[in-house]
Amino acid sequence: MTQPLRIAIVHYHLRAGGVTRVIEQASTALIASGCEVAVFAGEVPADFSLSPEVRLQILPGLNYSSEYSEEMVARLETDLDAACIKAFGRMPDVWHFHNHSLGKNLNLPHIVKYWSEKGRAMVLQIHDFAENGRPENYQRLLQIAAQGDTTRLAEILYPVAPGIHYAVLNPRDLEILRAAGAGESVSILSNPVEWDESRVHSRGLLKERFTLYPCRPIRRKNIGEALLWTFFFEEGERLVIPVAPHLEADRKAYALWCECAAQLRLPVEFEAIPRLAPNLETLVASAHRILTTSIMEGFGMTFLEPFLAGKPLIGRNLPEITENFSSDGIGLQHLYTSLPIPVEWVGHKRLQQSFKSAILRLKKAYGIKIPESSIEKTESLFINSDTVDFGHLSEDIQREVLMLICVNPEMKKQILTSLLAVPSTPQLSRDAIREYYSASRYAKNAIRLYKEILSATGTASGYLNAQSILETNVSQSLPLLLRITG
């Protein structure tokens, strides 16, 4: 009788969010396909639960940590091995790490490096890059985990070995790793996307008309643009934002947006969970429509989940992320890729100054020379045009624009066209999502990947070109990074 595959899934925490939903759905689907699954996380909320068949264990050493030492690495390695013995009675067949290279825990990349040299089979799934809009994370990795040595940083973040396979979520990230030397050892492993109707509390459904912004309001989710939408709402409609950010740095920026909304008397409900509804699913089920204004995504779950719930989606598209979705028949053509506002509202010189200041901060944060071609391309957004994308403005300037519109309502006419497109029929997109992004399809693809890794032979053979990964991320995402750091 063939033994079931034993899969150990590792993440920093299981707090509410995209990666946690992926782990929930993936572990259930893998078990339904005959695998044994253990999940190891540094923090698990008291009200969180996985399928009873999942062997869940809390290992504090996996939690967020900006400290690094060889002793901490050794202790974490021992704890992970002991947890596997407890879960399976032996080592797993494959370790599946989520975001090991993000810089949230400075000891975890060293574990990956050591195990690559030992020949352990690992899937390193990258949802987000530290090199893409997270300069603080990148500097922690470089200066603390790698002790200022860029070669050592490449060794711990991006090892190459027959038993290692990188998994990414979109074509953009696939090309970044292939250009860095990953070749066939990287592939797209799309997240499972499921809608759990059982989590909707029927007694908690809201009656009034509202648009739901279903994200945690952090800077790359572009909350200012969501507030801009409220100027175009029908009488009595409001914007609902479910939760506040976790991190203190994000909470400071969020507090300014709450203050702005109150000052301008915008129809916004902040932190609706649990005040208005017990969970996100109930808010989605109650909403008239779903709004996305994000300027940076890894997979883009927000582009898919609303359709499964039968809700129209409005807002901003990210073609570099949604290319696969559109080719699979998911209706995103009505979403805009830019929300242009007149440069004169802000001032040409003001935009140039903001741009140059952000460039200097980026160069300092990542310690690289940004190619002149990338700078010129991005600068043209401001200098060679009469308009600028609202999503590329700093948050301070975005607030100023909202105040201008509030005082001069006729200004709305100059940006209305971008918001008028009619959403596609949710049913057509729902059928495509169920075909291409179901949990069962995810399990099939993941198991095929696990088996390929287990059949590989050879020894560790170096590391990817980390400098290429850094420079490509920064250059390709320069307009977005300016928005985040500006």
Side-chain angles (χ1 to χ4, degrees):
M1 181 177 176
T2 304
Q3 290 292 322
L5 281 176
R6 296 174 174 86
I7 310 301
I9 298 174
V10 182
H11 189 46
Y12 307 111
H13 61 76
L14 293 176
R15 296 198 299 261
V19 177
T20 295
R21 288 206 305 278
V22 170
I23 290 173
E24 284 183 273
Q25 295 174 5
S27 57
T28 300
L30 289 169
I31 286 172
S33 298
C35 297
E36 294 182 8
V37 177
V39 173
F40 307 134
E43 179 186 343
V44 181
D47 59 350
F48 179 83
S49 62
L50 285 169
S51 167
E53 294 91 349
V54 178
R55 299 150 200 204
L56 173 63
Q57 292 189 49
I58 303 173
L59 303 180
L62 289 172
N63 215 334
Y64 289 173
S65 175
S66 57
E67 297 180 7
Y68 159 74
S69 71
E70 292 184 4
E71 292 78 10
M72 293 173 73
V73 174
R75 190 182 313 125
L76 179 56
E77 182 178 24
T78 298
D79 289 347
L80 283 166
D81 283 351
C84 275
I85 297 297
K86 182 178 180 180
F88 298 125
R90 46 158 283 184
M91 287 292 102
D93 296 300
V94 178
W95 294 85
H96 192 141
F97 289 87
H98 289 272
N99 266 346
H100 81 287
S101 61
L102 191 56
K104 294 291 191 179
N105 181 307
L106 300 186
N107 300 291
L108 193 59
H110 288 271
I111 299 286
V112 169
K113 176 183 179 293
Y114 295 157
W115 288 359
S116 71
E117 295 166 351
K118 292 181 179 180
R120 292 195 180 184
M122 291 181 282
V123 170
L124 305 180
Q125 183 151 11
I126 295 176
H127 298 256
D128 309 284
F129 286 97
E131 297 89 341
N132 193 341
R134 296 171 176 81
E136 300 88 355
N137 292 20
Y138 178 79
Q139 285 300 325
R140 279 197 297 269
L141 285 164
L142 176 60
Q143 302 302 333
I144 302 175
Q147 300 174 337
D149 185 336
T150 54
T151 299
R152 182 169 175 78
L153 182 65
E155 291 173 345
I156 64 173
L157 292 189
Y158 304 112
V160 174
I164 288 181
H165 195 94
Y166 291 87
V168 294
L169 302 172
N170 59 70
R172 171 191 174 276
D173 294 348
L174 181 72
E175 290 308 312
I176 286 176
L177 292 190
R178 284 187 172 165
E184 296 305 310
S185 66
V186 59
S187 58
I188 292 177
L189 181 61
S190 297
N191 288 337
V193 184
E194 299 281 339
W195 170 249
D196 189 353
E197 189 72 33
S198 68
R199 293 176 63 88
V200 175
H201 290 236
S202 57
R203 293 184 179 179
L205 290 173
L206 306 180
K207 305 297 185 192
E208 57 268 40
R209 179 187 177 94
F210 69 91
T211 294
L212 178 66
Y213 168 89
C215 315
R216 195 170 295 279
I218 55 180
R219 285 175 288 179
R220 64 181 177 274
K221 301 297 185 181
N222 196 12
I223 182 177
E225 194 167 306
L227 297 186
L228 176 64
W229 267 84
T230 65
F231 287 109
F232 303 91
F233 281 2
E234 295 180 4
E235 184 71 30
E237 185 175 5
R238 56 180 173 162
L239 178 71
V240 170
I241 297 174
V243 291
H246 279 309
L247 301 180
E248 185 59 32
D250 292 321
R251 291 184 71 88
K252 290 179 180 178
Y254 169 71
L256 291 175
W257 283 117
C258 293
E259 185 179 307
C260 175
Q263 182 181 350
L264 301 182
R265 298 183 178 179
L266 301 180
V268 184
E269 292 280 353
F270 292 97
E271 299 173 46
I273 298 174
R275 188 168 52 84
L276 298 182
N279 58 25
L280 182 61
E281 289 82 2
T282 304
L283 282 177
V284 171
S286 303
H288 169 63
R289 56 187 182 175
I290 309 298
L291 170 65
T292 177
T293 56
S294 176
I295 56 170
M296 187 177 292
E297 291 290 338
F299 176 62
M301 196 80 78
T302 305
F303 294 108
L304 303 179
E305 287 184 322
F307 293 120
L308 291 181
K311 302 294 177 176
L313 177 68
I314 59 171
R316 179 179 287 268
N317 196 1
L318 297 174
E320 69 275 17
I321 301 300
T322 64
E323 176 186 339
N324 283 3
F325 302 161
S326 298
S327 63
D328 289 336
I330 297 162
L332 303 174
Q333 64 277 0
H334 64 287
L335 303 180
Y336 55 83
T337 57
S338 174
L339 183 55
I341 65 165
V343 167
E344 63 184 21
W345 288 8
V346 179
H348 194 272
K349 186 171 289 188
R350 175 83 183 282
L351 287 173
Q352 283 184 302
Q353 290 173 343
S354 176
F355 169 79
K356 292 184 187 302
S357 175
I359 283 285
L360 289 174
R361 283 196 293 275
L362 278 174
K363 291 171 72 173
K364 182 178 180 181
Y366 283 108
I368 66 169
K369 180 180 179 181
I370 299 173
E372 285 298 323
S373 59
S374 295
I375 294 175
E376 291 171 3
K377 181 179 178 181
T378 305
E379 195 169 19
S380 69
L381 293 168
F382 304 129
I383 296 175
N384 298 323
S385 176
D386 295 329
T387 62
V388 59
D389 185 353
F390 185 84
H392 291 165
L393 300 177
S394 70
E395 293 192 308
D396 286 343
I397 295 178
Q398 283 190 343
R399 278 189 284 273
E400 291 178 18
V401 170
L402 294 186
M403 291 177 186
L404 273 174
I405 296 174
C406 193
V407 175
N408 304 284
E410 70 277 3
M411 285 181 164
K412 293 193 298 182
K413 297 175 184 178
Q414 298 183 57
I415 57 176
L416 184 61
T417 305
S418 297
L419 312 181
L420 288 178
V422 177
S424 59
T425 305
Q427 180 62 48
L428 298 176
S429 296
R430 182 163 53 209
D431 293 343
I433 293 166
R434 286 172 175 167
E435 179 178 357
Y436 293 106
Y437 298 95
S438 67
S440 59
R441 187 172 180 129
Y442 168 88
K444 181 180 178 181
N445 292 335
I447 290 170
R448 181 172 62 247
L449 178 57
Y450 298 150
K451 289 180 177 178
E452 287 177 5
I453 297 171
L454 291 170
S455 66
T457 58
T459 57
S461 56
Y463 45 87
L464 301 181
N465 185 336
Q467 190 66 18
S468 170
I469 293 171
L470 172 61
E471 292 180 357
T472 307
N473 262 301
V474 172
S475 295
Q476 290 189 4
S477 302
L478 190 55
L480 309 183
L481 295 175
L482 291 177
R483 158 73 174 85
I484 289 173
T485 61

